[in-house]
Amino acid sequence: MTSKKLTPENFLERDERMDCWSVYGIGAYSHPNEEWVRLVLEVSLSDELPDEILEMFDRARATMVYGCFYYPLFTNGMEEIYRIKEAALKEACREGNASRATIGKGYKSLIDWAHSQGFIADDDLVRWHAGRSLRNAVSHKDKAMLLGPNDALRTLDISKELIEKLFCAVRGKRQPTDASV
């Protein structure tokens, strides 16, 4: 199936690539647009998180919502979520008293610092590094990638979980001082 060519006449018509997707997998059944919109919008971050992170997350979700009309927007929204996780990590590290020097280091160093402070659990460390690898892949890509709505929903769910756990850990612990710099 080829990409939908957007026109002023068809921009609000369902992208036919949606017709084979379901949260139950690929098959004959597909959810109507309203159901996909509901599924995407019900994944939201806690209002207690920083406003900038909430705003970025909402923009990425909105992009995914419009994937019903232009399928590649699911991928664009996911790519943005990968970058939002880095922004959330930086903000959480600031709240966790990381030094400016630590905040200025790369994504890998921030993940490792947050883990060393107990803000990222051992079980989640590999997930954060996997997210970093995905962020790198989409930010420095050399070919097009097209992922579907189920991938978008899974990315939203995982990212919501990791971001919220991170901020809960930072805010729930005695704030360590960054002595590593």
Side-chain angles (χ1 to χ4, degrees):
M1 208 174 284
T2 61
S3 183
K4 175 180 176 179
K5 173 102 169 122
L6 287 176
T7 66
E9 295 77 32
N10 76 0
F11 77 99
L12 287 178
E13 291 175 9
R14 181 180 171 97
D15 191 315
E16 65 183 27
R17 289 172 284 191
M18 287 295 295
D19 292 341
C20 64
W21 283 97
S22 164
V23 293
Y24 310 111
I26 298 175
Y29 176 76
S30 180
H31 302 284
N33 288 353
E34 294 78 12
E35 180 69 9
W36 280 111
V37 170
R38 186 189 63 72
L39 289 167
V40 170
L41 293 181
E42 70 184 17
V43 181
S44 61
L45 292 175
S46 165
D47 288 340
E48 296 176 17
L49 295 182
D51 289 340
E52 299 82 23
I53 302 304
L54 295 173
E55 167 94 18
M56 289 187 286
F57 195 84
D58 284 345
R59 276 187 268 149
R61 282 187 326 156
T63 300
M64 291 178 189
V65 160
Y66 284 93
C68 293
F69 303 112
Y70 188 67
Y71 193 87
L73 291 176
F74 286 114
T75 301
N76 288 98
M78 289 171 54
E79 291 174 352
E80 195 58 24
I81 288 291
Y82 299 143
R83 289 184 281 272
I84 291 165
K85 284 173 60 181
E86 180 180 17
L89 178 62
K90 282 184 179 184
E91 184 57 34
C93 288
R94 280 186 197 94
E95 285 190 24
N97 294 329
S99 68
R100 260 196 237 159
T102 297
I103 299 294
K105 291 182 179 180
Y107 198 179
K108 180 185 182 316
S109 296
L110 284 174
I111 292 169
D112 293 338
W113 183 86
H115 178 253
S116 74
Q117 300 299 307
F119 299 147
I120 294 176
D122 292 343
D123 293 346
D124 291 332
L125 183 61
V126 70
R127 297 169 78 199
W128 275 96
H129 281 299
R132 178 183 58 84
S133 294
L134 288 167
R135 190 283 321 247
N136 288 343
V138 301
S139 294
H140 308 291
K141 59 187 169 185
D142 55 3
K143 59 185 172 185
M145 174 175 66
L146 187 63
L147 299 168
N150 289 351
D151 299 310
L153 287 173
R154 195 169 21 263
T155 297
L156 280 173
D157 284 335
I158 291 168
S159 299
K160 169 193 169 52
E161 175 192 348
L162 291 175
I163 291 169
E164 288 181 346
K165 283 171 79 173
L166 174 67
F167 277 95
C168 282
V170 167
R171 293 172 177 177
K173 291 183 73 149
R174 187 175 145 262
Q175 301 298 310
T177 304
D178 182 354
S180 64
V181 178

